[in-house]
Amino acid sequence: MSIIPCTSVLVIQFFFLISLLSFKVTSSSRTEEESLIQWKNRLSSSPPLDPSWALNNTKNLCRWTGIVCGTTGTVSEINLSQASLEGTLAQFDFNSFPNLTRFNLRINNLSGSIPSAVGTLSKLTFLDLSSNFFDGNIPWKIGQLKELQYLSFYNNSLIGTIPYQITNLQKTWYLDLGWNYLEAPDWSKFSTMPLLSHLNFSYNELASEFPGFISDCQNLTRLDLSRNHLTGPVPEMAFRNLGKLEFLILTDNMFGSNISSSIGQLRNLHKLGLSANGFNSSIPGELRLCSNLTFLALAGNLLVGSLPLSWANLHKIEELGLSNNLLSSQISPHFFTNWTELVSLQLQNNQFFGKIPYEISLLKKLNILFLYDNKLNDSIPSEIRNLGELTSLDLSKTSSQVQFLQQWGSSPSLLSYNSSTTTLVERFLLRLVMRSLVILDLNTNNLEGELPETMSLLNNLEILSLFTNNFSGMIPRDLGKNNLNLKSVSFSTNSFSGQLPPRLCNSFTLELLTIQNNNFTGPLPDCLRNCSNLVRVRLERNHFSGDISKAFGVHPNLNFISLSGNQFLGELSPEWGECQSLTKSQKDGNIISGKIPSDLGKLSQLQVLNLDSNELIGEIPMELMNLRMFTFAQIVKVTENFNEKYCIGKGVFASVYKAVLPQDGILSVKRLCMSNYISTTNRLSFENEIKILTEVQHRNIIKLFGFCCKKGFMYLVYKYIKRGSLGKVLYGEEGETELGWAVRIKIVQGLAHALAYLHHDCSPPIVHQLALTIQVTNKCDVYSFRVVALEVMMGRHPGELLDSLTSSVLSDNPGLLLKDMLDQRLAMPAGQLADEVVFGIKVGLACAQAAPKSRPTMVFVAKELSAQLRIPYSEPFHTITLENLTSLQK
């Protein structure tokens, strides 16, 4: 394509005679312009490039979006980071850019392979293709870029071995190949890289010994080999030569069996992660020589012995994680006199014994204290109440008494306390006065006795969970009178008796009431009838009485109710037909009389209706026959045996089809290929989880009606959602026009509440990730929540930001502003909306702890996000950085 105006030959000759250099520049520019336009036209999406990228704008090539020209007038930099590009590099003509020095395409949606022609960019010094969807092998010709200083292919889908030619990049100081599927090469072919200071091979499939060439890279300050299959030991040469290391993460490999005493030679270390490596030795005392450590993680090994007393020398330590080992000793008080910078102390799942030193109260900055599942005894020191910054405290499965709660007083910061499955508890509830407490969870203990009247003074209480204990007596009569935010109450499986407090639901905020398996008597509180937010009610196996027609009203969100095995009287009210979300209604084993109301036929979501063992009369209403009933054969018929024309979405292992049933409306049917990714031994477990999911009913969870297995496929039948997935909307035009900040905040809040429901309101709890090959817990969902929450706020995948709290990314970029990380398609939020956005990001980042047990529960996250009262941030929105956000005080 030519862009030369139609002129005479004489004019062209005159132009040539004026300046040969000028002609060369113009000719080169034309080639660059045409190449850029040609590539843009082959992209699936490139919204930010228009209208500047156009052939009618050739005179302003150097002003095109993302284009920088050098002194010769040719393109020297292409910076299209976070430009929402979709497509490939197959049509990018690398040969047209001989003077290109910087090529930045990070955080886009580019896919396909990385062309080997990238090796022709002989002047390139900076290449960043991170956080895309590139696949295939790393081209070996990348090693021809002799001027390259910075190379990042982080967070893609690259496979194959790492080409040894990459070590030809002798000027490179930054090399990041993390978060791919790369395999180990023959490391003996690799050369040393003398200028390399940053190396990241984390989250790959490297299965080999420690890469030998690394030991000779003596300028390394950051090394991350975590989440691979590397085996040990770490060569002694590495400790001798890598004395400049400040950041060393080897987490989740197999570098055991012992931690070398030579690690003390790495005296510049700030962060050291050796968790989950199978180390089965004692902890080397030489770690005391690493006196600059601020982060030390040794969790998930088989370490034995005691904590070296010389560790008191680690006076800069902020985060210490030793959980899930076999450490057995007393905890020396000398540590706490020096560890005054400590923010997180996690010693859970070990065999520590003896007293908890009262000197622990000297840790004034402590946020997290986890000592559960040890053999600590005696009373917990009352001085712990002086830890004013403490937000998470877990002492469960210890032998400690928790009498300190009697003296705790008003703790302004403690929002969550967990003492589940303790063994020696001496009535710590007798003088409970933590009036700021939001969540009180004492489930599954051996607690006994009556509840103290002072429990009604917990004005901010939202969740009260006491199930599966040996409590007895009556519930305090004033419970609910002052608890105006009470949303969840669980007294199930105890020996409580008497009537429920008359003002238990006085604020009408109650959503969950599970009090089954007790000896409660009398009628239900009158206020229950007006709790329109009720979602789940379980009262079975008690001795309740009273008129059932007056006990309940219209509850639009109610999806499960069980009143079985009581002594309720009266008739069924037609109002039950207005509870449109109801899926299970169990009222068997009572003294209910009268006829079955025909209004129950309105319950289109109803799956289980149990009214047996009552005194009902009359005929079964014909309207009940209208309840939703469909068969797999009907779905096969309306989709023409899952013809492609009914397919509305595809994934790696599943396809989604749209099924229009004449009387039952529109359904979404997901077909999963079982044989591709689930073993026979896991199939039954998987099917059991699916069965549980069919019982779930939550406004933020798509309804699963049922499932079946046929010929190697599993079919999941869902409620049809017209708008499609969140990702489709977020990355489409609606992301700008319909997903404003207020809507995005609601999305994040809704997701948090949905996961909290799955984890804490379902029995058994449901982990949203139906992982089939790895062991997961609900804390995996907490991590996944962080990814989605940040993606919603940023308008793109968070990419490298995912590792920022377990690396020094934030500290290396102290000026990284929050406003620059948010979705740039929207105007920046202001006022209260800005506070909500900042707090949403802060809570998302709080879910980033590397150790799963360090992450908050989803109940805690959901309640934090939904808090009505929040002090505005004092810092101007445009000045808040991601670094200070991680510790920003409200």
Side-chain angles (χ1 to χ4, degrees), residues 237-525:
M237 185 186 301
F239 298 116
R240 289 198 301 268
N241 292 348
L242 304 183
K244 294 183 179 180
L245 274 178
E246 299 175 2
F247 178 100
L248 176 60
I249 303 296
L250 304 180
T251 301
D252 204 357
N253 284 284
M254 284 301 295
F255 283 121
S257 58
N258 67 299
I259 302 175
S260 172
S261 60
S262 299
I263 200 166
Q265 298 180 49
L266 306 180
R267 302 190 181 187
N268 288 308
L269 278 179
H270 292 277
K271 295 193 175 182
L272 175 61
L274 301 177
S275 298
N277 268 286
F279 294 122
N280 58 12
S281 63
S282 59
I283 299 174
E286 286 78 4
L287 267 173
R288 73 184 186 280
L289 301 175
C290 304
S291 58
N292 290 308
L293 278 174
T294 61
F295 174 94
L296 176 58
L298 303 178
N301 287 291
L302 299 171
L303 297 171
V304 296
S306 60
L307 299 184
L309 293 177
S310 58
W311 273 21
N313 189 48
L314 303 180
H315 58 279
K316 295 183 180 180
I317 195 71
E318 297 175 8
E319 298 178 66
L320 178 59
L322 301 174
S323 62
N324 297 83
N325 280 289
L326 300 173
L327 298 170
S328 59
S329 68
Q330 294 187 346
I331 302 176
S332 171
H334 298 295
F335 295 133
F336 305 126
T337 57
N338 284 351
W339 292 352
T340 55
E341 298 299 314
L342 207 60
V343 173
S344 174
L345 177 60
Q346 301 187 36
L347 305 181
Q348 68 271 23
N349 290 313
N350 277 285
Q351 298 177 18
F352 290 112
F353 57 86
K355 297 181 179 181
I356 299 176
Y358 71 87
E359 288 87 353
I360 202 169
S361 63
L362 299 175
L363 307 180
K364 302 299 184 182
K365 297 182 179 181
L366 199 64
N367 294 160
I368 299 172
L369 177 59
F370 289 166
L371 302 178
Y372 62 85
D373 200 3
N374 277 288
K375 298 180 180 179
L376 298 168
N377 53 44
D378 208 277
S379 298
I380 296 173
S382 60
E383 288 85 357
I384 288 184
R385 70 179 185 272
N386 297 325
L387 299 177
E389 298 297 318
L390 197 63
T391 59
S392 297
L393 171 64
D394 196 333
L395 306 174
S396 58
K397 283 192 177 181
T398 69
S399 299
S400 299
Q401 302 171 5
V402 284
Q403 294 172 329
F404 76 99
L405 287 176
Q406 300 176 20
Q407 305 173 13
W408 189 283
S410 179
S411 173
S413 59
L414 188 63
L415 299 178
S416 172
Y417 175 76
N418 184 354
S419 69
S420 62
T421 57
T422 52
T423 56
L424 297 176
V425 180
E426 293 188 353
R427 299 176 179 266
F428 73 91
L429 288 171
L430 288 177
R431 296 173 59 191
L432 189 64
V433 289
M434 293 187 294
R435 301 194 181 191
S436 63
L437 201 66
V438 175
I439 301 171
L440 178 58
D441 187 348
L442 304 173
N443 77 79
T444 318
N445 283 290
N446 294 315
L447 298 173
E448 58 185 26
E450 299 184 6
L451 300 182
E453 292 293 333
T454 51
M455 184 172 284
S456 61
L457 300 177
L458 304 178
N459 297 345
N460 294 308
L461 195 64
E462 296 183 12
I463 296 177
L464 177 58
S465 181
L466 306 178
F467 66 85
T468 316
N469 278 287
N470 299 313
F471 288 118
S472 58
M474 298 180 64
I475 306 294
R477 180 174 176 79
D478 286 337
L479 185 65
K481 176 182 177 181
N482 302 309
N483 317 111
L484 300 183
N485 297 313
L486 203 57
K487 296 180 180 179
S488 177
V489 173
S490 181
F491 298 146
S492 61
T493 316
N494 280 283
S495 299
F496 288 116
S497 58
Q499 296 187 20
L500 291 177
R503 286 176 281 193
L504 178 64
C505 42
N506 203 39
S507 63
F508 308 127
T509 58
L510 203 61
E511 298 176 5
L512 183 143
L513 178 62
T514 55
I515 55 178
Q516 70 271 23
N517 299 323
N518 281 285
N519 298 307
F520 289 114
T521 59
L524 298 177

Side-chain angles (χ1 to χ4, degrees), residues 79-85 89 103-111 114 126-135 150-158 174-180 198 200 796-802 809 821:
N79 184 1
L80 297 176
S81 172
Q82 306 176 39
S84 301
L85 304 179
L89 288 178
F103 194 31
N104 187 356
L105 299 179
R106 66 187 297 266
I107 311 181
N108 283 288
N109 296 309
L110 297 170
S111 57
I114 299 174
F126 182 99
L127 176 59
D128 193 342
L129 304 182
S130 62
S131 297
N132 281 282
F133 298 95
F134 290 113
D135 54 27
Y150 184 107
L151 173 61
S152 179
F153 292 157
Y154 172 88
N155 192 25
N156 281 283
S157 298
L158 299 171
Y174 186 103
L175 177 58
D176 194 339
L177 305 181
W179 285 70
N180 283 284
H198 178 117
N200 182 12
R796 60 188 183 277
H797 193 278
E800 292 181 0
L801 193 60
L802 290 176
V809 173
M821 300 304 297

Side-chain angles (χ1 to χ4, degrees), residues 561-603:
I561 185 168
S562 177
L563 310 179
S564 306
N566 283 285
Q567 300 170 27
F568 288 111
L569 301 166
E571 299 184 0
L572 294 175
S573 168
E575 289 184 332
W576 285 110
E578 304 303 320
C579 300
Q580 291 294 305
S581 298
L582 202 58
T583 61
K584 284 196 174 184
S585 178
Q586 300 178 168
K587 301 179 178 68
D588 54 293
N590 285 282
I591 318 175
I592 303 172
S593 58
K595 295 183 177 182
I596 299 175
S598 60
D599 298 76
L600 296 183
K602 299 178 183 179
L603 302 177

Side-chain angles (χ1 to χ4, degrees), residues 606-733:
L606 194 62
Q607 299 175 14
V608 175
L609 176 61
N610 190 349
L611 300 174
D612 74 76
S613 302
N614 280 286
E615 297 182 0
L616 297 167
I617 59 174
E619 299 180 350
I620 298 176
M622 289 299 297
E623 287 79 2
L624 288 183
M625 300 300 103
N626 296 328
L627 296 179
R628 173 169 298 201
M629 297 175 62
F630 52 82
T631 66
F632 181 71
Q634 289 176 295
I635 294 175
V636 172
K637 181 178 180 180
V638 298
T639 59
E640 300 178 30
N641 198 18
F642 298 98
N643 190 292
E644 282 296 305
K645 66 182 180 181
Y646 296 99
C647 184
I648 57 176
K650 286 190 175 183
V652 178
F653 302 117
S655 299
V656 181
Y657 298 83
K658 181 179 180 181
V660 182
L661 299 178
Q663 297 181 347
D664 295 293
I666 306 176
L667 304 173
S668 292
V669 184
K670 178 180 288 188
R671 183 169 72 167
L672 296 91
C673 184
M674 302 292 286
S675 58
N676 282 356
Y677 75 112
I678 182 171
S679 66
T680 303
T681 56
N682 285 330
R683 184 185 301 273
L684 182 60
S685 176
F686 183 54
E687 291 180 4
N688 287 336
E689 292 191 42
I690 294 294
K691 289 179 182 177
I692 296 171
L693 283 171
T694 61
E695 302 177 2
V696 168
Q697 183 77 20
H698 191 276
R699 59 181 176 269
N700 298 120
I701 301 175
I702 300 175
K703 176 60 185 171
L704 175 63
F705 293 119
F707 74 100
C708 71
C709 296
K710 296 283 186 180
K711 297 180 180 180
F713 291 94
M714 175 174 280
Y715 298 86
L716 308 178
V717 183
Y718 291 94
K719 179 180 179 181
Y720 176 74
I721 303 297
K722 183 177 180 181
R723 296 293 301 277
S725 69
L726 171 62
K728 186 176 181 180
V729 177
L730 181 63
Y731 291 112
E733 294 182 0

Side-chain angles (χ1 to χ4, degrees), residues 205-251:
E205 301 294 330
L206 304 181
S208 70
E209 295 183 347
F210 187 89
F213 83 100
I214 294 178
S215 298
D216 292 321
C217 299
Q218 300 188 24
N219 281 306
L220 273 178
T221 59
R222 289 175 50 88
L223 175 60
D224 191 347
L225 302 178
S226 61
R227 304 296 174 91
N228 279 287
H229 311 289
L230 299 170
T231 56
V234 178
E236 290 295 310
M237 185 186 301
F239 298 116
R240 289 198 301 268
N241 292 348
L242 304 183
K244 294 183 179 180
L245 274 178
E246 299 175 2
F247 178 100
L248 176 60
I249 303 296
L250 304 180
T251 301

Side-chain angles (χ1 to χ4, degrees), residues 73-104:
T74 58
V75 175
S76 61
E77 297 183 22
I78 298 177
N79 184 1
L80 297 176
S81 172
Q82 306 176 39
S84 301
L85 304 179
E86 295 183 17
T88 73
L89 288 178
Q91 300 301 320
F92 188 91
D93 187 2
F94 292 92
N95 293 317
S96 297
F97 303 94
N99 295 315
L100 193 65
T101 61
R102 294 178 64 88
F103 194 31
N104 187 356

